[in-house]
Amino acid sequence: MSRITLTTAAREALRADEVVFFDWHATGLCCADAGEFSVRPLRRSNLPRRARRLETDLVYAHPVAWVHLAELPVMVDCRPLWRWRRFTTDLPPDAGLRCCLGRPVGGGNR
């Protein structure tokens, strides 16, 4: 199972009825299942039916994102920007594309 960790700032930024949601955005390279991750707060009542829980009850993911995140250690942080909350991860910016192309996110086969 995934090893998702929320920083103190991320936990405090979530409202009582919210969770962190890893969404998947298809980029459509040829026929591959290529895409990228985004992370955002989402009300529990607005979670997609197919959303899958990642280890803790505070983190959910789109089914395609879940497959790629299932074994990765990921740190989720929140950086407030004025009145907005910006949730970030320690994943590289091209993590979704790397996963789809069979390249490890944590290094290795570069």
Side-chain angles (χ1 to χ4, degrees):
M1 195 64 168
S2 178
R3 297 168 285 175
I4 304 290
T5 306
L6 296 175
T7 63
T8 304
R11 286 181 185 277
E12 290 174 355
L14 286 174
R15 296 182 181 119
D17 63 339
E18 288 182 332
V19 296
V20 173
F21 182 66
F22 280 88
D23 209 348
W24 180 259
H25 306 280
T27 56
L29 283 175
C30 187
C31 301
D33 188 19
E36 283 299 331
F37 303 108
S38 69
V39 62
R40 62 190 167 112
L42 193 63
R43 286 187 177 163
R44 287 181 190 273
S45 59
N46 291 340
L47 274 172
R49 277 188 226 144
R50 295 180 48 198
R52 298 184 71 179
R53 190 168 62 94
L54 282 166
E55 194 166 304
T56 175
D57 195 36
L58 292 176
V59 184
Y60 288 80
H62 182 279
V64 177
W66 184 90
V67 169
H68 298 302
L69 296 169
E71 296 298 323
L72 290 177
V74 180
M75 176 75 68
V76 178
D77 192 15
C78 182
R79 298 179 184 155
L81 179 63
W82 293 329
R83 61 183 180 150
W84 296 284
R85 299 169 293 162
R86 182 172 181 251
F87 285 82
T88 60
T89 69
D90 60 353
L91 291 169
D94 64 344
L97 188 57
R98 285 181 184 218
C99 289
C100 294
L101 296 175
R103 299 181 68 194
V105 172
N109 300 339
R110 289 188 173 240

